[in-house]
Amino acid sequence: CRIGVYMKIKYFKYFWFIVTLGLFVFLMFSVRIKTKTDIRNRIYQQWERHFVVKDGNEAYIKTTNDKDKDIVLSESQSYGMLITVRAAQKGLASQQDFERLYKYYLSHRIEGSQLMSWEQIVQKSSKNVDEHNATDGDLYIAYALIEASKQWPSQKDEYQTQSKAILQDILKYNYNENTGILTVGNWANRDSKYYNLMRTSDALPKQFQSFYEVTKDKKWLSISDKMLSSLETISSQTETGLIPDFIWVDQSGVRNVKPHTISSQFDSTYSYNACRLPYNLTQSNDEKSQRVLSKLLDFFMTQKNIFSNYNLDGNFLDDHQAACFKAPIALAADKDSGYLKLVQQNKIVFMQNLPVNNYYDSAIITLVTMEFF
């Protein structure tokens, strides 16, 4: 009889232990989910409040904090459109929010094409609009429209039709017929000395696959393969696997550019263009993407901190720890437990308030957050 009572007490304690443990695990999981949601919501709301400027039935993404004028880039507008679609998927934005940004793009296309002016200077009494495009901005606008067509099926035809029109003009004005890769803009035509210049962060394997699925044009698969092959070649030329902002791609092969080739002394380094590559590559399961990405992550695993601007030998040139370098690496590293150190090391950028005095850092953090959380 005593044994029976003892067993009942033992099982009763065991039962409540299991119940308590289960409740603890559930609460911890709930807190983690809530924390991730809070981080995502906070970052999006800060970004939307500080960078989205509504102008009538349009809206644009400003890149400066100048009180007298706003500078808008096709890059900023494209990031804004994609961020807004992702936010809508999380219940943070509406189709009207996206439409405002979309209408601004429509109002600032280069005459005779569907490509967006790469820069607009907006002042109270005037607006200066550049008549050249930047390929990366138009690529992301096209992709944002494809994603919007999935989010709001009622306007699927309109969004996809416009996306196809952009992609057709990218192939018309931003495609190198000799190398089969994308140029940096419509101004880098065959008469330009920059015709064979490639911006490495224009390699967007996931987006190119999406473009093929919508257009059925296999040229997008070819572009993806050739641009990734170019990244793999330049990666193989160093032990670090670091990729420079720009490279030359022509009939003689793939090689790094020299400083001040097009933008700054950092053109030949892993700098503010190339820092987007971990974000680009981690979204694709393509074998070339993963090889280039793994070599990059292996290098950063050897670093105590991640700084901005590295030469290809692995020496950092600036001791500033820019968030736009850290956030994409944290996202890419999260896909493999072997890179947990990089996640722990760099996730602080999501815990802090957005650096609203820095458009680029804020845009990259918000874009990554929409994928990460």
Side-chain angles (χ1 to χ4, degrees):
C1 184
R2 288 181 179 178
I3 294 175
V5 171
Y6 172 77
M7 292 301 293
K8 287 181 180 179
I9 293 173
K10 181 179 179 181
Y11 284 126
F12 183 75
K13 289 181 177 179
Y14 179 74
F15 170 77
W16 280 110
F17 173 76
I18 295 299
V19 170
T20 303
L21 179 62
L23 182 60
F24 175 77
V25 171
F26 172 76
L27 288 173
M28 290 299 293
F29 181 76
S30 298
V31 167
R32 186 180 180 190
I33 293 298
K34 186 176 187 300
T35 301
K36 283 190 171 185
T37 301
D38 288 344
I39 290 172
R40 182 186 67 214
N41 294 358
R42 171 180 55 79
I43 287 177
Y44 170 74
Q45 289 162 3
Q46 289 178 346
W47 173 83
E48 194 273 341
R49 182 167 62 251
H50 286 281
F51 295 100
V52 179
V53 179
K54 295 179 181 178
D55 183 13
N57 67 343
E58 298 179 357
Y60 59 80
I61 309 301
K62 67 175 184 176
T63 64
T64 59
N65 293 311
D66 193 316
K67 293 181 179 180
D68 298 321
K69 64 182 179 182
D70 288 333
I71 296 179
V72 186
L73 305 175
S74 59
E75 171 197 274
S76 67
Q77 198 70 9
S78 70
Y79 286 164
M81 290 171 70
L82 183 56
I83 287 169
T84 303
V85 174
R86 295 287 185 246
Q89 293 168 350
K90 314 289 187 182
L92 294 171
S94 67
Q95 185 175 11
Q96 184 180 27
D97 295 325
F98 179 81
E99 277 286 313
R100 286 178 179 274
L101 296 168
Y102 174 47
K103 287 176 180 175
Y104 182 88
Y105 147 71
L106 290 175
S107 297
H108 294 84
R109 289 171 290 180
I110 297 170
E111 186 175 356
S113 84
Q114 302 302 316
L115 307 178
M116 185 177 179
S117 161
W118 85 275
E119 181 186 63
Q120 307 95 55
I121 300 175
V122 183
Q123 294 175 294
K124 291 182 180 179
S125 58
S126 65
K127 183 181 294 185
N128 181 35
V129 179
D130 194 284
E131 289 301 310
H132 296 114
N133 90 306
T135 305
D136 52 351
D138 287 298
L139 288 171
Y140 267 100
I141 291 172
Y143 181 63
L145 284 165
I146 292 172
E147 292 300 287
S149 74
K150 301 173 185 176
Q151 177 65 17
W152 298 290
S154 63
Q155 285 185 255
K156 176 180 178 179
D157 290 344
E158 178 187 348
Y159 291 154
Q160 286 201 1
T161 297
Q162 186 57 40
S163 177
K164 290 176 184 178
I166 295 170
L167 295 173
Q168 187 175 8
D169 273 358
I170 290 175
L171 294 179
K172 182 177 180 181
Y173 297 107
N174 302 141
Y175 176 70
N176 185 315
E177 296 284 352
N178 298 331
T179 61
I181 66 171
L182 299 179
T183 66
V184 296
N186 61 349
W187 51 272
N189 54 41
R190 67 173 60 250
D191 297 324
S192 165
K193 65 179 181 179
Y194 298 110
Y195 189 50
N196 294 319
L197 188 69
M198 172 179 155
R199 183 190 294 106
T200 55
S201 56
D202 285 353
L204 301 168
K206 179 182 179 181
Q207 287 76 7
F208 292 156
Q209 177 66 34
S210 181
F211 297 162
Y212 163 69
E213 291 170 359
V214 168
T215 65
K216 306 305 179 186
D217 187 343
K218 290 185 177 180
K219 186 175 285 187
W220 288 108
L221 299 181
S222 176
I223 290 171
S224 183
D225 183 66
K226 290 176 180 178
M227 293 183 78
L228 287 173
S229 292
S230 299
L231 293 187
E232 198 167 26
T233 298
I234 202 73
S235 172
S236 71
Q237 294 174 5
T238 64
E239 292 184 3
T240 64
L242 289 168
I243 308 292
D245 275 6
F246 299 95
I247 55 177
W248 293 113
V249 182
D250 54 31
Q251 306 304 321
S252 63
V254 178
R255 62 192 185 281
N256 197 3
V257 300
K258 294 181 179 179
H260 297 289
T261 291
I262 184 172
S263 178
S264 75
Q265 61 179 316
F266 299 117
D267 288 348
S268 59
T269 70
Y270 183 84
S271 192
Y272 283 86
N273 278 293
C275 72
R276 299 179 285 190
L277 277 168
Y279 171 82
N280 296 355
L281 300 178
T282 195
Q283 297 179 63
S284 171
N285 293 321
D286 176 272
E287 291 182 1
K288 292 181 180 180
S289 298
Q290 293 307 306
R291 284 195 294 267
V292 173
L293 178 60
S294 293
K295 194 171 180 181
L296 273 174
L297 294 179
D298 288 344
F299 165 75
F300 285 115
M301 282 289 287
T302 68
Q303 304 298 296
K304 291 183 179 180
N305 291 299
I306 294 176
F307 299 103
S308 57
N309 294 316
Y310 287 81
N311 66 26
L312 300 197
D313 290 333
N315 298 312
F316 65 86
L317 307 174
D318 185 343
D319 61 4
H320 174 56
Q321 296 186 42
C324 59
F325 285 74
K326 288 174 166 288
I329 290 171
L331 174 68
D334 192 53
K335 303 295 179 68
D336 187 329
S337 60
Y339 297 118
L340 181 60
K341 169 196 165 185
L342 291 175
V343 180
Q344 298 296 332
Q345 183 185 59
N346 297 291
K347 67 180 182 181
I348 189 173
V349 298
F350 306 106
M351 309 303 171
Q352 302 170 331
N353 286 330
L354 273 187
V356 294
N357 61 335
N358 187 316
Y359 143 73
Y360 193 67
D361 273 4
S362 293
I364 298 298
I365 291 172
T366 307
L367 201 60
V368 170
T369 297
M370 293 297 108
E371 301 287 344
F372 205 178
F373 295 97

